[in-house]
């Protein structure tokens, strides 16, 4: 049986997990791949004596892996932007295939990297970067290849979903975030998780493969969960919704919506029931309808599972010497279109609005008139006399689907009313129809 | 761009859907595949003027497709066993690749078919046969290739799940079955659906790809849902469980469990929340943990989605002239082991037992003694004084996990007690740990 030589750069969480699983399941993986996935060299800033690398050459210089002519595939697991970009481009320049778990790298530098790889006819695979252990890129790029994909929506940041799940019990954002950090879910600097940057990286990648457009991370709209309150979460629940931090990509005639934000989801939808640190992605295709993919979005061995799935795919190409390729983003480069990414003003969504208004006659009529002037229909309305405070009571509205700029216009007019205090709380809602 | 020539045999539900989607999304699919998937010939017993076949050669003799030397891939969508087997073997003998949606064929004749295909170095792909539009075979064969798969469990017959969902409202099996037939979900002869044969076909295929064993449909244990009552369903719910008709495959040291039967599932598990005609498959791997795949298990275009995903995979091989293959059942033939399939006596499961016992002192003690003698621990117990009937009341027990033969022994001893009337109702329960 042929050996395919693998070089791992970065022996942290995912690198360590990849090493472990490749050792433990070596025979089984070879039985599937039809060749041996041999780790021929590893490099990381610090040694990992706990891993028992044995005879495998180790160095602290990751470029030793690139320079080793025996290496067929470079696994980039150092993370970050610039160093990873340089490393991956150097690997490609040497004619080596690349497997990475780095969604930031692919979302931001993917177009450049794929162009370089196409020139050299090498593979760059990144399943592990999107939703950890869930083989969702394979589903989008291959399993759903027959479909015009209409939209996809996902819980794609486990930390954020954990925080939202805990906030359902009335706990405040800051308190739960602290706990998530203590449990090791959130990064020490958690902004990537809670502000939606990490989710936007993954969403950008999925959207490109779903719709056949170049990666455009800088055009993704991103809103975090830090300003959500248990108060609004529980009122959304009273209306029959759960609040989830979703990445949503939708293809429309006039462009593509690419957005990450807290979202009301009908409680009957399976994705509303996904709690804790797990991820789930719902994909709607014109032929298949809705399919959902669910599982661990992070973790050493869960992420390694996807790294190794990519390695098996690449190893089959290396071992058979074949020219057969699945295109980087699921579409041949000639088939990629530049369908534009829409600005937030152009989003179509339903909206949850909470307005603090004076409890006196005529106020509701004024608000209703403003909404109606903007062509906004109201789906349901909830007023809580019991929550009267300083003469103001909360008025909670759920709108039908409407253009976001109309909602924003209505909100500024409502906020300008003398009877209204504070800012209007606005949370988007989706019915997935 | 190269043409890859496809011949479709059987223009029924799935054949028609495949034709439609290939026409509608032709450009998009070519953009993904890197070649044109050209339907160069179709054959079916009766013409389908509604499809608008245009210039595409049509004949009533399916062997015209095999004889056409221009055809690269034969799509078998006639269904059934013997004719389909003969057709597929003839296609292989002509050196043509095969795509099929026929799970009965693969589960029963797959070993023979794959051997013939291996000799001729042609692909036989069957994603559409398992869980319709859900790309679960791709997940098992490729996406989870790093994992030692411990077990998988699935709702893999939409009709059965629809019936069980409706029975939760207290409706009787026969009534709901009639409705499912009227709605077109169930076959006119519904035994394949409700007796679990169809689910066992799919389970057999998934288990072989998960564990690397030959297909052994005749060794699968199959129990249907026709004897379930709304009474037991509601009592299971009172204990915190939902009843689902599951296919379960588990790999153990001493063999493989391969079984289809009604199953109590904890209501907190996502799979318990899968209602109606959708399918869902939960897969547990040693590296990734649990992932779940959810979506439509049948339907013309949903099934076509998987047929075409297979066609794209095959077309890439044809167009690149490559020798690269994913093994038929996910493992190279040398890596397939003959780990035995266990008999029902050897299953390990928890059990829901309902016993109709005389309401007098000492009866419970006798039953408890019988269970304890067999080493069976009780997880929970429920007795309904309010349901006293002819002096008998139902005693409902949930056991810990135990060998099935011990439970069966206990049941026959309990049934022999003079204080017990009727047969003991036994339903397996799983906690997916
Ligand atoms: N963790 C997850 O669950 C997960 C899930 C999905 C995707 N990912 C992605 O996987 C990648 C790796 O994540 P991780 O969690 O494994 O990170 P990590 O634990 O920080 O591991 C990174 C490793 O690379 C080493 N390293 C970084 N730069 C280096 C350099 N220039 N030269 C040599 N060694 C270098 C680090 O060494 P030092 O620690 O000594 O600096 C560390 O050992 C990231 O792109 C991440 O986004 C992670
Ligand atoms: N329907 C689904 O949702 C679904 C989902 C997953 C998998 N599948 C599988 O897909 C396959 C096809 O199912 P289907 O629902 O499409 O069945 P179907 O509607 O009955 O279609 C079968 C077609 O093949 C024709 N046919 C059968 N034997 C033939 C022969 N010897 N020569 C010429 N034509 C022949 C039939 O013609 P006549 O009607 O004139 O006999 C019919 O047009 C089956 O294996 C099924 O298990 C179906």
């Amino acid at each position: 049986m042929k050996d395919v030589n693998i070089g791992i750069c970065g022996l942290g969480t995912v690198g360590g997990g990849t090493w472990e699983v490749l050792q433990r399941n070596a025979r089984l993986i070879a039985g599937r791949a039809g060749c041996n996935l041999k780790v021929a060299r590893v490099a990381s800033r610090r040694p990992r004596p706990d891993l028992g690398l044995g005879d495998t050459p180790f160095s602290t210089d990751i470029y030793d892996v690139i320079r080793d002519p025996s290496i067929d595939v470079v696994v980039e697991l150092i993370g970050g932007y610039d160093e990873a970009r340089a490393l991956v481009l150097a690997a490609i320049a040497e004619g080596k295939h690349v497997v990475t778990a780095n969604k930031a790298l692919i979302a931001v530098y993917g177009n450049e990297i794929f162009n370089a790889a196409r020139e050299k006819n090498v593979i760059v695979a990144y399943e592990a970067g999107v939703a950890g252990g869930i083989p969702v890129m394979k589903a989008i790029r291959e399993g759903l290849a027959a479909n015009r994909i209409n939209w996809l929506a996902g819980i794609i940041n486990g930390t954020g979903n954990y925080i939202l799940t805990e906030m359902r019990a009335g706990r405040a954002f800051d308190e739960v975030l602290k706990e998530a950090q203590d449990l090791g879910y959130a990064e020490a600097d958690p902004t990537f998780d809670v502000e939606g940057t990490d989710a936007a990286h993954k969403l950008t990648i999925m959207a490109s493969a779903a719709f056949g457009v170049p990666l455009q991370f800088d055009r993704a709209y991103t809103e975090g969960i830090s300003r959500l309150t248990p108060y609004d979460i529980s009122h959304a629940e009273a209306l029959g919704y759960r609040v989830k931090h979703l990445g949503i990509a939708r293809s429309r005639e006039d462009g593509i919506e690419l957005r990450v934000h807290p979202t009301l989801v009908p409680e009957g939808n399976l994705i509303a029931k996904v709690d804790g640190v797990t991820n789930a992605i719902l994909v709607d295709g014109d032929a298949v309808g809705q399919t959902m993919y669910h599982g661990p979005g992070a973790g050493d061995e869960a992420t390694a599972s996807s790294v190794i799935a990519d390695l098996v795919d690449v190893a089959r190409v290396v071992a058979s010497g074949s020219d057969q390729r699945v295109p980087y983003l699921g579409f041949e480069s000639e088939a990629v279109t530049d369908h534009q990414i829409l600005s937030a003003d152009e989003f179509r969504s339903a909206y949850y609005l909470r307005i603090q208004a004076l409890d006196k006659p005529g106020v509701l009529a004024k608000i209703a008139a403003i909404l109606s002037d903007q062509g906004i229909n109201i789906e349901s309305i909830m007023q809580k006399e019991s929550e009267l405070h300083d003469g103001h009571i909360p008025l909670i509205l759920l709108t039908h689907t409407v253009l976001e700029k109309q909602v924003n216009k209505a909100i500024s007019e409502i906020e300008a009313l003398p009877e209204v205090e504070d800012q209007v709380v606005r949370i988007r809602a989706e019915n997935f129809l």
Side-chain angles (χ1 to χ4, degrees), chain A:
Chain A
M1 202 180 264
K2 240 187 211 165
D3 282 351
V4 171
N5 287 330
I6 292 165
I8 300 180
C9 299
L11 283 178
T13 304
V14 182
T18 300
W19 168 267
E20 290 283 7
V21 177
L22 280 174
Q23 305 311 308
R24 187 175 71 232
N25 291 346
R27 259 193 65 202
L28 176 137
I29 294 167
R32 287 205 173 103
C35 54
N36 288 312
L37 273 62
K38 184 179 167 200
V39 182
R41 185 173 280 280
V42 293
S44 199
R45 193 128 46 207
R46 286 173 293 183
R48 285 277 308 257
D50 58 307
L51 290 178
L53 296 179
D55 291 342
T56 309
F58 171 90
S59 50
T60 54
D61 181 357
I62 45 182
Y63 283 86
D64 283 351
V65 174
I66 312 289
R67 281 184 293 259
D68 182 339
S70 78
I71 297 294
D72 301 300
V73 198
V74 173
V75 185
E76 182 279 298
L77 298 172
I78 62 171
Y81 294 97
D82 295 339
E83 280 188 306
R85 170 175 169 271
L87 180 72
V88 165
L89 289 173
I92 292 168
E94 285 295 324
K96 297 182 192 303
H97 302 287
V98 173
V99 171
T100 177
N102 191 335
K103 53 264 180 175
L105 176 74
I106 298 298
V108 175
Y109 296 117
N111 297 324
E112 176 192 13
I113 288 170
F114 296 145
N115 280 333
R118 194 175 293 114
E119 293 270 302
K120 287 288 198 171
N121 196 25
V122 294
I123 298 171
V124 175
Y126 51 86
E127 177 70 80
V130 182
I134 309 172
V136 66
M137 290 312 308
K138 194 173 266 291
I140 295 173
R141 293 201 317 161
E142 304 174 37
L144 303 178
N147 292 267
R148 185 169 302 280
I149 293 180
N150 298 312
W151 53 263
L152 56 87
I155 295 171
I156 44 183
N157 181 279
T159 308
N161 201 49
Y162 174 81
I163 293 173
L164 285 183
T165 304
E166 291 298 311
M167 282 175 74
R168 288 187 62 209
R171 303 176 62 193
F173 173 80
D174 292 328
E175 176 196 335
V176 186
L177 172 59
K178 171 85 178 49
E179 180 184 88
Q181 287 173 308
D182 293 347
L183 285 168
Y185 296 156
E187 305 288 317
D189 173 359
T191 49
F192 263 42
D193 293 326
V194 302
E195 294 309 330
T197 314
D198 176 69
H201 286 147
K202 296 167 186 165
L203 181 70
T204 298
I205 298 170
M206 288 195 289
S208 285
F211 308 137
V213 293
L215 297 154
Q216 293 165 76
F217 170 69
D218 53 334
R219 308 251 14 217
Y221 171 85
T222 307
E223 187 181 306
I225 57 173
S226 55
R227 285 174 307 157
L228 274 181
T229 62
Y231 183 89
D232 289 306
I233 291 175
S234 73
H235 283 77
E237 299 208 355
L239 290 165
Y241 290 79
R242 294 282 172 83
V243 181
K244 292 290 172 192
H245 198 201
L246 295 187
I248 299 174
R250 179 179 280 122
S251 176
R252 294 171 18 187
E253 286 276 305
D254 54 343
I256 289 168
E257 296 182 5
L258 198 60
R259 45 189 173 106
V260 174
H261 52 72
T263 315
L264 270 68
V265 185
E267 63 188 3
N269 194 298
L270 208 57
I271 209 165
K273 298 171 185 168
V274 174
D275 286 330
V277 293
T278 46
N279 284 12
I281 300 100
L282 197 55
V283 186
D284 184 278
D286 70 338
V288 72
Q290 294 185 16
T291 55
M292 194 181 86
Y293 309 86
H294 176 270
D300 50 0
E301 293 204 356
T303 310
S305 172
S306 286
V307 169
I308 296 169
D310 278 347
L311 282 171
V312 169
D313 285 350
V314 173
R316 284 205 182 98
V317 169
V318 172
S320 67
S322 109
D323 243 356
Q324 185 190 329
R325 300 281 187 274
V326 178
Y328 302 101
L329 285 165
F331 286 82
E332 296 293 334
S333 53
E334 314 83 62
V336 171
T337 66
D338 56 357
H339 211 46
Q340 65 161 335
I341 309 289
L342 297 163
S343 71
D345 263 357
E346 305 302 325
F347 293 166
R348 296 195 153 277
S349 176
Y351 295 84
Y352 164 103
L353 303 177
R354 176 161 61 83
I355 303 161
Q356 294 292 122
L358 268 186
D359 184 27
K360 66 176 206 189
V363 179
L364 181 58
K366 283 191 191 179
I367 291 171
I370 291 173
L371 292 169
S372 149
D373 282 351
Q374 290 301 328
I376 301 170
N377 290 317
I378 297 169
E379 161 90 29
S380 54
I381 188 161
M382 198 162 68
Q383 196 162 11
K384 291 265 193 150
E385 288 295 338
S386 61
E387 293 179 8
L388 187 69
H389 183 71
D390 265 357
H392 289 80
I393 53 167
L395 177 69
I396 291 163
L397 298 169
L398 199 66
T399 75
H400 281 173
T401 298
V402 63
L403 265 188
E404 183 146 318
K405 61 183 161 201
Q406 293 174 282
V407 167
N408 289 345
K409 188 129 193 297
I411 287 174
S412 41
E413 289 178 24
I414 290 168
E415 285 175 346
L417 291 176
E419 295 91 344
V420 168
E421 68 166 13
D422 301 341
Q423 290 197 307
V424 173
V425 172
R426 183 201 70 185
I427 313 175
R428 297 177 189 85
E430 292 286 337
N431 289 304
F432 298 123
L433 297 176

